[in-house]
Structures are given as structure tokens and as C-alpha cells.
Amino acid sequence: MFLTGTFHEGTDGGGTTAGPTRRGVAGSAVLAGAALLLSGGAAPARARQRSRAAAGVALRLPGPTGPYRTGVTTLYLVDRSRPDPLTPSIPERELMVSVTYPARAVHGRSVAPQMSAVAAARFPETAPAVHPGLPTSGVDWAATMTHSYADAPALAGRRPVLLYSPGGGDPRTMGTGLAEELASHGYAVVTVDHPGDAGVVEFPGTTAHRPEPWRETVFRGDPRMDPPLFRTMIDARVADARFILDALEALAAGRNPDAAGRPLPEGLGLALDPRRVGAYGHSAGGTAAAEVMYEDRRVHAAVDMEGYLDHPAKGPGRVGELYPVARHGVGRPLLLLGTDGFPDRRRLERSWSAMLAHPGWRTDRRRLDRAAHGVFTDYAAFVPRLRSAGLLTTEDRVRLVGAVDPAVSVPWVRHHVRSFFARHLPAR
């Protein structure tokens, strides 16, 4: 995710731990969170996890709390109107996305793994480069199962579409828990890998310009330390999001946008409402989510989870240029979520305060205490487990996700993101 910092303001503090619970079930968010963290997937998923235990620690995703079972599928999208911005020798921009959605039926369908086999195999090499302190061995990343069923038929009814952009260097799969939570409450959630940015992205095959069926990140260090590269990264993400919205409109109109022509889950196009679109993102993805809302009126609401709203400064003692969303404001709702463990408080505060200063007050913010930058991702649940297994230090745990218990942090993030979209893009 690369971007790290501290934020303090307008908070629920660590004391507001309200999170979503199952319909008709009362109780505190802490108890709900504990139940989520103890919940498992379907029996076949548990059996696969047990069978792989010898390969290393197997991690479990918190279960979703909504009334709907969820399906998941992948799309391979190709924008032939532009070369790849991070590797210009590739003459077209390839993207991989996952769509998680309420399922009509799951009988006979397999529970999907969180990561593909290739991504899981390469994860111990790529993830510690982004997040120092993560173990390079001792974890069976391929054993983590989602709670969604691969290519299950979609439940009838047009659903609001939520587009997710992950942090710099992170794969889309590290946003699986929140995507499943939103889908279980009636949303169609599209999570995006940005090739050349994400640690590793697997494709359905090779091309003449890409001899391997995957691409690794081109980043070597924090892109924010290289202002032109950071600009290219965010510009690429915004363009990716707008192209994906075009592809989803085609899908909703009955066409198959998958560049390989792979079959779609039954009813998927009819489950999307391209007139009701939101965006959310973490770190660089939060920057992109806010900016794409400014640039594309199809996006009606956005959540920025600890992403800067300005460019990095071009030299010592200088300030970075604000992104247009913060410079001019936007007349649509924006939620800023932060932590008290973000180490670059002053710089983040500058751009967020500029956003909040615009008249009309369509921007709000909240803070989670005893937390750090990675708490907005699946690392919130994974890192404490890795610490318990002795695979990383207490200091690394605090630096990555903070000291907050995942039974608090997971429901807190879910509650604020879901309630925000429920207000502005209700899943009717």
C-alpha cells in the first residue's frame, strides 16, 4: 500500500465499535466481530484448509453478516485505446477485476479461494516488499478460502455497483472481506487489480507483448517519493476505473466485456445497476476513488480510506499540488476514514482539511484509534493471527495494523463503509 501516515480528527475514536450484525440479532459490535472472526466457510472449504495445514499457517477471512449468499467471478478487460501507463511497451491496458454479488443459488458450486494459485505462490515474495515485517515463509496463502461461490448465478434485481481500488502494491484480493460484507447486504462489488502497480496480477493467458501469464509491480520503493511516478499511478487508476465503468455498462446492457470471451455467471448483467455507482479505496486507491468521483459523474459517492488528496511535494520545504477534488470540491458525498497510527499526519491533514473546507459539507471523516494503515484491508484479521503464530513481531503487528483487536476493527470498518453507502446508494 506504500502510503503511510497518521490522522486525528472528527473521530468516533476507538470507542465507537458499532458494526453490522445479522438481521434480527442484537448485540455489541465487539461480540459481533468476535463471531465473525470465528465463523468458517462451507465444509469443503474447511476440509481444504485442513488438508493444506502442513504447508504453513492457514488464515481465515471473517464471514460476511448480510442476509445474502454471495457469488464471485473474474473478468479480463482490455482497453485498446491506451498503452499501459507503467509499461509503455505493452500497447494496451489489461485489467483483472473480481465481481462479488448476491447469489441466487450456490448448490453444486465451489467456494472460491482468496487468491489464485499463481498469486498465492508469489505472494511471499511480493507482499513483504510492500509491507516489511510480513513473513516470507510459514503461511499457506493458497489455503485461505472466501465465503463466495465461484460463478454462482446472480440473484435477480438491479444492484448498486461499488468499485474498489486497493492500496499501492496491494492486490485486489486483500479487500475480499469488505467486498463480501457489502455484497452480502445487496451490493455488486467490483475489486480491481492495477497491473504494474499491484504486486502480482495473473491473466488468463499470455500475449505477444506479455510473455508470462502474470505481471509484477514495477515499483521499487514508495511511489510517493517519486512525484512523476505517483502522478502516473493515480492517473492510471482513475483511467482504469472509468474504463471499467464503461465495461460494466456494456455488461448491464447484455454484452460480455471479457476480452477472452469467457462465459459469465447466469444473470450477472441483470444484477448490475450502472446508474447507481459508488467507489471506495485504500491508500492510493482512496486517492483514486475520490478523484474519479470528481472526474466522472457516474460515481455518486466515495470512501477514501487514508489516501492523500494531494500530489507529493517536488522538493524540501514545498507543498504538493492538491488534486482537483480537494482543490475545487465536489457536490457528492465523500467519507474520509483514518487511523491514529498514520505516521504522516501533517501532510494528510493538509489535503483532507482542504477537502473539508468546501461549502456544502458533503464530506465527513472518522478515525479508528489504536490502529494503523493496514487495518482497512484483510490484514486487519490476518496480521494478529500471524503474530500469534510467531511469524511476525509485536512491533510489526502494531506498525501494520495497530494494537486494536480485530473483533473491534473489522466491524468498525465494515460499519462505516456499509452505512455510508446505505445512506447514499441504498441497496433496495
Side-chain angles (χ1 to χ4, degrees), residues 78-129:
V78 179
D79 183 355
R80 295 185 171 86
S81 70
R82 58 187 170 122
D84 189 272
L86 294 170
T87 307
S89 61
I90 300 177
E92 54 195 17
R93 179 61 166 170
E94 301 174 287
L95 297 168
M96 294 299 298
V97 306
S98 294
V99 186
T100 308
Y101 52 90
R104 188 184 76 239
V106 299
H107 179 71
R109 302 284 174 172
S110 299
V111 176
Q114 182 186 24
M115 298 183 191
S116 70
V118 168
R122 304 185 78 83
F123 194 76
E125 303 172 14
T126 59

Side-chain angles (χ1 to χ4, degrees), residues 107-189:
H107 179 71
R109 302 284 174 172
S110 299
V111 176
Q114 182 186 24
M115 298 183 191
S116 70
V118 168
R122 304 185 78 83
F123 194 76
E125 303 172 14
T126 59
V130 179
H131 307 289
L134 286 179
T136 58
S137 62
V139 184
D140 186 0
W141 293 104
T144 303
M145 306 303 292
T146 70
H147 302 88
S148 299
Y149 294 81
D151 298 320
L155 185 67
R158 296 283 186 180
R159 311 283 173 185
V161 175
L162 303 179
L163 194 64
Y164 171 70
S165 181
D170 277 344
R172 69 188 191 274
T173 50
M174 276 296 147
T176 296
L178 183 53
E180 290 190 318
E181 170 70 2
L182 293 165
S184 78
H185 286 274
Y187 293 91
V189 185

